């Protein structure tokens, strides 16, 4: 039925109704008259429906109150009085997205589902949570989710515990996270953006119960809310539900949440901060410099898009002039940029890592001189074209992986909506894009640089310097403060804290009552489709090469994956193969300098990527297929040009420009140093598998072992440069031959002939020799290791291979993953242990891993893993509970995939020799899982844990304190 502007539908007055061509959608804005809630509906045929409710939540301090509220409202509410309804939904709904996010000035509660009944349930639980949380009745919520004093016995040590407290300790274990926080603190001394909305561990314990409740009372009202709906749904019926079940009970109130603008500075502000490194670490090459600019306002969509392009152009592309200038001047090892959105006043950051304090003046000078030069001489038009094309490709492709499209549009539209402007502004990108394209002929970006960077005094130079032993210093300071506080307490007061600690633990361990659990609506097993999604695969032959073709609608884009058999690479050259994946596309070729090459690639394609990995066959981890993978996406009409570029890269790259080689080695190593801690979970999982699993050992070479290789070749580059270059050339020559190639293609059937023609050109240019295959005998790594870092928390993993012990893979293991992650580990490792989470993975090849992340504990978590078998033996679960876990497992398996993801899945199944029947069998087993199947896994888990393979990455002090549990402890950083 047609909607009329000004008419009221279930209490919602229609304010605007407009077609959004860019999204093939209809956009409707409503105002709920009684409560003052605003609602934006993006209507179209997409069945992956999205709902979210957001609130403007600007913090006035760094206690993390918005973040703690975000966690806490999901801990039980009026209609759903459970300990954690959120967890119940993760366990047992068909959601395709379910989360909550705290931003610097807003909090979002989004859900997505393709099932109508499920979608309604999710909305109901989320609305009840935000408007009627149980936080007013249960002070334990702040204690558990935020912070509390923990003390086991009167004579024991007093400590701080809490989920957000630990989460943020983990978050601030990486230097780049610390830098980002310090930048905002420096640029916005007088507004909400100067505070840490996530919470700074130093300030979190200052939050009181009263402040906590006040924050909710003030901001969680419909008058301060932004409701968003997306996709194919019965809108009227949904509006009726919102009105009757929730909004009608509220009366519009004024909510003062306007976000003031920070008054600009009169001159550049300089600020210097410390970040922690290990006591044993060197401090050379560990300083960060950043120049930061507050650039305009988010409500101008042109600002947002133009700065996304500018940031890429100046700092991301290998052709980026500012990146090149800073590297060539030897300011640091790596250059990075960031354009921070999601704030009323967005920020552009130009940063260098791996530098030294004496380079400060040089850094500032190179930044301004380069910007100055760009405005006078003009920016290379090819570079501008390349960066604009990349943005345009991404906008039109709208491929957000497993994230629902509607969610990304939601985040985008908040850029203007939250600040009182139309939510349409950021979605209608065509006029803005057209304007930005004038940059191809006019001084567009040059004048932005002049106005927003050169002539803009709202800027800050923020420096971050390494401070050895700072983590331990802070820790002992906190310990002293707590001891001093304890000394002021009377015996009676200490008893109260001890009792509180015990009560909280008891509460956390007590299961929800069946009546309370039953309040969460649950689907039936019958709501899940029985058939596994078909693998879309048509195996063809072209140019004597196997083509794994997935004919799918891709909107004129061809997604290509070239799988080169890497079994031709001898063991000693494997590290160079991984290095090659970081080099290709960034070094010059016969025809192009590396800058020109990067521009050509970005002008003609949507990006090219290089990677290497080994795929294990079927149900074994001893037979595996290592591949070097080149992925490309491009419009079909561009395929001939793209294949030519690819040919240049694969067969014409110049590995002997050692100056360039050295730059990339330094930058890659620096990049790893910065991200290693964040990858902690993957590092420990792969490391543990490398103690006993052949495929695990192979794949570990891409992780910590590769980082160690980078450290070594960077240090000894001068003496080893010839050898490095020769090895890279040799690896490329062995890999890129036709006989090694398997191609994955995802595109429309009608575009296949275009691929055929373009591919013939590439195939003809590859080497024609056939290379001998290696029979790897990789020695397992020595277990068990403690990997020491200056980080504040641990990543703990314990792994084994169950096939080696006579067990075989079964679908019920997937159900067990869900049960452990959201029940046993959730309670023991997250709620009680204070870690961010725990996980369990069982793989078809027989490997299994249990792990924890951002964990304040170490041996306690290993004990939890060891006790899993006993827990499983005693586990009671009724039919409803089992159904819940099965639905939750299925929602993960049935996550909607984009066409290129379907193509990748088809190719990987082909390589692994996994058939449609195998996938169907796993699905049947999951659907039929009963409690007896879970009990049957207890012995397997017990046996696996007794193998005792584990690895921990984390705080050096903590690892030293537990030295005796390891065979080896090693510092990760030099
Ligand atoms: Zn959190």
């Amino acid at each position: 039925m047609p909607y009329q502007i000004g008419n009221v539908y279930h209490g919602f007055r229609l304010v605007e109704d407009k077609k959004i061509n860019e999204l093939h959608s209809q956009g409707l804005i409503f105002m709920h008259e009684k409560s003052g809630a605003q609602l934006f509906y993006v209507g179209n045929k997409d069945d992956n429906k999205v709902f979210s409710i957001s609130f403007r939540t600007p913090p006035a301090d760094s206690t993390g109150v918005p973040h703690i509220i975000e966690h806490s409202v999901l801990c039980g509410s009026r209609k759903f009085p459970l300990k954690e309804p959120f967890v119940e939904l993760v366990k047992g709904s068909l959601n395709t997205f379910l989360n909550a996010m705290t931003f610097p000035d807003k909090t979002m509660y989004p859900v997505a589902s393709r099932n109508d009944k499920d979608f309604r349930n999710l909305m109901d639980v989320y609305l009840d949570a935000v408007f009627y949380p149980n936080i007013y009745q249960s002070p334990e919520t702040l204690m558990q989710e935020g912070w509390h004093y923990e003390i086991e016995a009167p004579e024991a040590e007093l400590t701080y515990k809490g989920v957000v407290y630990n989460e943020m300790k983990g978050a601030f274990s990486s230097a780049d996270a610390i830098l980002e926080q310090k930048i905002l603190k420096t640029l916005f001394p007088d507004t909400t953006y100067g505070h840490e909305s996530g919470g700074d561990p130093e300030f979190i314990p200052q939050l009181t119960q009263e402040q906590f409740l006040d924050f909710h009372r003030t901001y969680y009202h419909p008058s301060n809310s932004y409701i968003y709906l997306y996709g194919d749904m019965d809108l009227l019926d949904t509006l009726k539900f919102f009105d009757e079940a929730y909004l009608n009970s509220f009366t519009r109130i004024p909510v003062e949440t306007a976000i003031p603008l920070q008054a600009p500075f009169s001159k550049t502000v300089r600020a210097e901060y410390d970040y922690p490194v290990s006591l044993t670490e060197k401090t050379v090459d560990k300083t960060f410099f950043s120049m930061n600019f507050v650039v305009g306002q988010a409500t101008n969509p042109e600002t947002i898009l133009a700065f996304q392009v500018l940031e890429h152009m100046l700092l991301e592309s290998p052709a980026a002039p500012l990146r090149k200038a800073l590297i060539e001047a030897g300011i640091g090892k790596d250059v990075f940029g960031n354009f921070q959105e999601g704030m009323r006043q967005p920020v552009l950051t130009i940063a260098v890592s791996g530098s030294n304090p004496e380079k400060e003046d040089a850094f500032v000078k190179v930044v301004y001189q380069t910007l100055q030069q760009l405005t006078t001489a003009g920016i290379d038009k090819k570079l501008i074209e390349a960066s604009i094309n990349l943005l345009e490709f991404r906008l039109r492709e709208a491929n957000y992986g497993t994230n629902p499209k509607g969610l990304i549009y939601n985040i985008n539209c908040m850029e203007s909506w939250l600040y009182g402007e139309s939510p349409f502004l950021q979605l209608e990108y065509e006029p803005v894009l057209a304007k930005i394209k004038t940059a191809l002929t006019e001084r567009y970006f040059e004048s932005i640089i002049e106005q927003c960077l050169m002539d803009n005094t709202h800027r800050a130079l923020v420096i971050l310097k390494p401070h050895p032993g700072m983590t331990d210093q802070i820790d002992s300071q906190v310990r002293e403060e707590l001891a001093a506080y304890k000394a002021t307490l009377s015996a009676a007061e200490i008893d109260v804290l001890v009792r509180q600690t015990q009560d909280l633990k008891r509460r956390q361990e007590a299961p929800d009552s069946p009546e309370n659990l039953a309040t969460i609506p649950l689907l039936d097993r019958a709501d899940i489709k029985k058939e596994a999604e078909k693998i879309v695969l048509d195996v063809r032959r072209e140019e004597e090469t196997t083509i794994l073709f997935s004919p799918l609608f891709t909107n004129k884009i061809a997604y290509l994956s070239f799988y080169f058999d890497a079994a031709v690479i001898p063991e000693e050259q494997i590290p160079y193969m991984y290095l090659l994946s970081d080099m290709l596309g960034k070094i010059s070729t016969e025809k192009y300098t590396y800058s020109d090459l990067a521009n050509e690639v970005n002008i003609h394609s949507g990006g090219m990527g290089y990677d290497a990995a080994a795929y294990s066959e079927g149900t074994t981890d001893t037979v595996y297929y290592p591949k070097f993978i080149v992925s490309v996406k491009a419009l079909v009409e561009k395929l001939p040009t793209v294949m030519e570029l690819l040919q240049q890269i694969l067969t014409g790259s110049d590995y002997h420009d050692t100056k360039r080689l050295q730059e990339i080695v330094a930058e890659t190593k620096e990049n790893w140093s910065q991200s290693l801690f964040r990858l902690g979970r993957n590092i420990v999982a792969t490391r543990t598998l490398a103690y006993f699993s052949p495929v695990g050992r192979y794949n570990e070479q891409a992780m910590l072992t590769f980082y160690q290789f980078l450290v070594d070749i960077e240090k000894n580059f001068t003496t080893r440069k010839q050898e490095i270059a020769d090895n890279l050339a040799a690896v490329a020559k062995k890999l890129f031959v036709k006989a090694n190639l398997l191609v994955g293609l995802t595109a429309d059937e009608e575009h296949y002939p275009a691929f055929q023609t373009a591919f013939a050109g590439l195939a003809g240019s590859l080497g024609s020799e056939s290379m001998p295959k290696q029979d790897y005998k990789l020695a397992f790594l020595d277990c068990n290791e403690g990997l020491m870092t200056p980080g504040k928390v641990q990543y703990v993993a314990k792994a084994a291979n169950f096939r080696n012990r006579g067990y075989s893979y079964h679908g019920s293991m997937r159900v067990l993953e869900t049960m452990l992650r959201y029940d046993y580990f959730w309670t023991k490792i997250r709620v009680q242990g204070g870690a961010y989470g725990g996980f369990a993975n069982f793989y078809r090849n027989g490997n299994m891993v249990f792990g924890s992340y951002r964990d304040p504990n170490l041996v306690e978590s290993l004990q939890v893993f060891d006790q899993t078998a006993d827990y499983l033996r005693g586990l009671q679960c009724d039919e409803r509970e089992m159904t819940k876990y099965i639905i939750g497992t299925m929602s993960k398996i049935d996550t909607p995939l984009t066409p290129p993801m379907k193509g990748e899945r088809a190719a990987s199944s082909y390589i692994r020799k996994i058939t449609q029947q195998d996938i169907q069998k796993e699905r049947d087993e999951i659907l039929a899982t009963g409690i007896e199947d879970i009990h049957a896994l207890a012995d397997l888990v017990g046996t696996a844990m007794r193998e005792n393979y584990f690895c921990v990455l984390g705080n050096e002090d903590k690892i030293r304190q537990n030295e005796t549990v390891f065979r080896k402890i090693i510092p990760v950083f030099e």
Side-chain angles (χ1 to χ4, degrees), residues 66 77 109 344 421 566 724 912 931:
S77 62
Y109 296 86
R344 185 170 175 204
E421 298 286 335
I724 296 168
R912 291 173 190 274
I931 186 67

Side-chain angles (χ1 to χ4, degrees), residues 920-961:
Q920 185 62 48
K921 179 166 175 285
E922 178 193 48
R923 191 179 185 88
D924 295 343
E925 287 168 354
I926 294 172
L927 286 172
T929 298
I931 186 67
E932 62 291 352
D933 298 296
I934 301 300
H935 286 155
L937 294 172
D939 283 344
L940 177 156
V941 169
T943 309
M945 290 301 107
R946 278 193 296 278
E947 307 249 305
N948 209 30
Y949 293 114
F950 64 87
C951 177
V952 178
L953 174 106
N955 180 261
E956 54 174 342
D957 228 28
K958 186 85 179 175
I959 288 176
R960 280 191 207 285
Q961 283 160 19

Side-chain angles (χ1 to χ4, degrees), residues 474-489:
I474 294 174
D475 279 357
S476 42
Q477 213 176 310
V478 172
R479 264 201 300 275
E480 277 164 33
E481 276 167 26
L482 283 163
Y485 173 68
K486 193 185 167 193
T488 68
L489 299 176

Side-chain angles (χ1 to χ4, degrees), residues 67 70-71 164 167 836:
H67 184 192
E70 174 230 296
H71 280 237
V164 168
E167 182 188 338
Y836 196 44

